Structure formats: C-alpha cells, structure tokens
Amino acid sequence: MAATVKYDEVEIGQEIPAADYPVRRINLVMYAGASGDFNPIHWNERFAKTVGLPDVIAHGMFTMAQGGRFVTDWAGDPGAVVDYGVRFSSMVVVPDDDHGTVITVSGVIEEKLEDKRVVVALTAKCDGSRVLSKARAVVQLA
Amino acid sequence: MALNRDFVGRASAPSAPYEVSRVKIREFATAIGDSNPIYHDRGAAQAAGHPDVVAPPTFPIVFSLSGGAILADPELGLNFAMVVHGEQRFEYRRPIHAGDELVSVSTVTDIRSVGRNEFITVRSDVTTVEGELVCTTYNTIVERGGAG
C-alpha cells in the first residue's frame, strides 16, 4: 500500500497536470455490463430522448471512475485512496460517432492532513461544463 | 410524490456475502479504461504490498446497493423513472482486494426536499464476513420533481 508520491515533497496549491479520458458508446456498454447498471439512458438514444435527454449520457459512476483513475495514477497505488466523494453536477453526453466525447480531469493539492494524508480537489470537465463538483479524494502518501 | 419520511433510519437486512474475484476486478478496471497492473496482475499487487489484486476506488458500487430493496419499497414512494445520481462517496478503512467476502448493510440516513426535488441518502456499511469494517459508502439520489 505504498504510494509513490512523498508527503514531504507535496505542497498545498500544487497542481496535478490535466489528463484527457475519451468516452465512446462502447465504453458505456462495457461499464453497464461491468457495473450492472443497465439503465437505458446510458445506451439507448431512443429511450434517452423520450425522457427529455439530448442523447445518451454517461453513467455518473463512469465519470467518477475517471476521476478515481486520475488520482490513483498520480498516487501510484490505488490502495492509497482512503476517501473519495463527488457531486454530479452536469451530464456527459456521448454521441454515437467514432469520437464520442472527452472528460478532462485535473487536480490540486488542497490540504495536508496528519498521518501523511493529503486532500486532492478534482475538476472534471466535458464540453466546457463541470461534470463533477465537490470532488475530493484523501490520499495516503509515502 | 413526496418520499415517506418514516424511512429515515430504516436499515436493510445484511446482504448475502459478495465474493470479490480477480476476474470481476479485471472486468471493472477494463470497463473504466484502467490498465493499472495492481488491478490486473496479482504479482504487481503483491509487489505493492497487497495480498491480491485491489479493487478500484469506485468498485463497491457493484455490490453495495443492497439499499435497493429499501428504495424499491412501494411505501417509500420513489419513482425510479425520475431518479438521477446526486452524490457518491467511498470511505475506506483498507483497500478491497480479491478474495474478500463482503456483507453490506444499508441505512437511509436522510430524506430532504431541495426546490422541487427529493433527495435521499443511503449509507452502506461494508464489512467482511468476519465483521471487519472495510468501507462505508454514501449514495445520494435525486427524484426530479418529487417534491413538486
């Protein structure tokens, strides 16, 4: 359970460079299968439009997982994430073409806690909108 | 329809044990596009100090929604067609790894109205079959127009 990032080398306000996570329809189909969430708004455009959505949207938990991936890639060990919470603030619309869309995640060290833990504040954007708000991860550093 | 406030404090029966498998962790990690070897390769996980491959932070969503039984109770009055996910949080005592057998108990902790929407929060305490607390999840769902 060893993060590769050292607590003593991290400063409040330090930024973690942004990463892009492409999302296509196939990713939502895979996520539906793996998570067991088969709500048709995540794969059936015809159904999504009947409930007033512009198109198929990504599972909120798929978007949250991309934020988690951003943090675990930074920390070096997924086991170092001891707390992770988000609010879902906007939809990720995924068109049925070869490109889909892109979720861009960035982070900043917001706070240094005791026991070599830090709070990472995450920003996740898609098409110019924040898709997660109040996204925070507590990470156990080395 | 407003949700039935009598449900605040109500807890589910403990779920049947969920056996965390390497295959499921691999499937979930692949679905979120994550090739981190600690999810895919037992040797890499052990080299990092884990007993076996570790589950991604959001993995408990796969099994922790045993609160579903409470949410589906007609007495609660939740219209699933109008539900969206509002907030989600995972709080860990230790990482989940392949081989864990986990039991979830879900409790409705809050029901409130915000504007025309109803918010309901369910906490799930995830323990091993031996009773060790591993993770607590907090799931807030929103029923659009529920309070209107």
Side-chain angles (χ1 to χ4, degrees):
Chain A
M1 284 181 271
T4 51
V5 179
K6 291 188 170 62
Y7 180 81
D8 292 339
E9 294 173 1
V10 169
E11 291 174 14
I12 293 170
Q14 183 179 325
E15 293 183 3
I16 306 171
D20 285 342
Y21 302 101
V23 193
R24 291 182 298 140
R25 287 285 179 86
I26 187 170
N27 302 111
L28 304 187
V29 172
M30 289 170 71
Y31 189 79
S35 69
D37 182 348
F38 291 101
N39 187 328
I41 63 173
H42 303 307
W43 51 270
N44 183 331
E45 182 173 332
R46 180 168 44 85
F47 181 84
K49 288 181 172 171
T50 65
V51 294
L53 296 170
D55 202 334
V56 160
I57 61 169
H59 305 74
M61 287 306 302
F62 180 87
T63 302
M64 184 177 185
Q66 302 312 307
R69 189 177 159 193
F70 178 83
V71 175
T72 55
D73 279 349
W74 173 72
D77 183 347
V81 176
V82 294
D83 197 320
Y84 177 36
V86 305
R87 180 176 290 179
F88 301 101
S89 52
S90 188
M91 297 179 289
V92 171
V93 177
V94 183
D96 182 22
D97 59 28
D98 293 337
H99 304 290
T101 191
V102 175
I103 299 167
T104 302
V105 183
S106 59
V108 62
I109 307 302
E110 187 176 71
E111 197 177 348
K112 292 184 83 171
L113 307 173
E114 292 180 352
D115 301 327
K116 298 192 175 182
R117 293 181 173 196
V118 296
V119 179
V120 179
L122 297 172
T123 300
K125 287 188 170 177
C126 182
D127 281 333
S129 295
R130 271 175 174 257
V131 291
L132 301 177
S133 66
K134 299 197 170 191
R136 298 282 184 282
V138 178
V139 184
Q140 178 72 59
L141 298 182
Chain B
M1 190 174 79
L3 299 179
N4 183 351
R5 264 59 178 173
D6 290 346
F7 273 68
V8 175
R10 196 169 295 193
S12 71
S15 68
Y18 177 87
E19 190 175 336
V20 179
S21 72
R22 280 182 215 128
V23 171
K24 189 66 189 181
I25 288 175
R26 171 182 288 268
E27 179 192 15
F28 189 86
T30 301
I32 64 171
D34 200 327
S35 58
N36 192 324
I38 295 175
Y39 299 143
H40 294 268
D41 175 15
R42 182 163 42 149
Q46 289 177 337
H50 303 288
D52 206 321
V53 291
V54 168
T58 60
F59 182 83
I61 201 71
V62 171
F63 61 84
S64 68
L65 286 179
S66 61
I70 301 178
L71 297 178
D73 188 330
E75 294 289 312
L76 175 63
L78 183 66
N79 177 3
F80 273 97
M82 299 305 287
V83 161
V84 293
H85 203 166
E87 297 175 36
Q88 183 69 41
R89 181 177 166 208
F90 302 92
E91 185 182 28
Y92 283 94
R93 291 292 183 91
R94 67 157 171 83
I96 290 172
H97 55 76
D100 277 332
E101 286 187 70
L102 301 173
V103 174
S104 303
V105 175
S106 297
T107 306
V108 176
T109 57
D110 188 37
I111 298 176
R112 65 190 188 279
S113 303
V114 179
R116 294 186 63 247
N117 300 324
E118 291 277 87
F119 285 64
I120 178 167
T121 300
V122 177
R123 186 191 76 226
S124 296
D125 296 307
V126 178
T127 60
T128 63
V129 289
E130 292 83 20
E132 176 198 3
L133 180 64
V134 174
C135 173
T136 303
T137 75
Y138 304 86
N139 180 323
T140 299
I141 64 173
V142 183
E143 185 192 33
R144 292 181 291 149

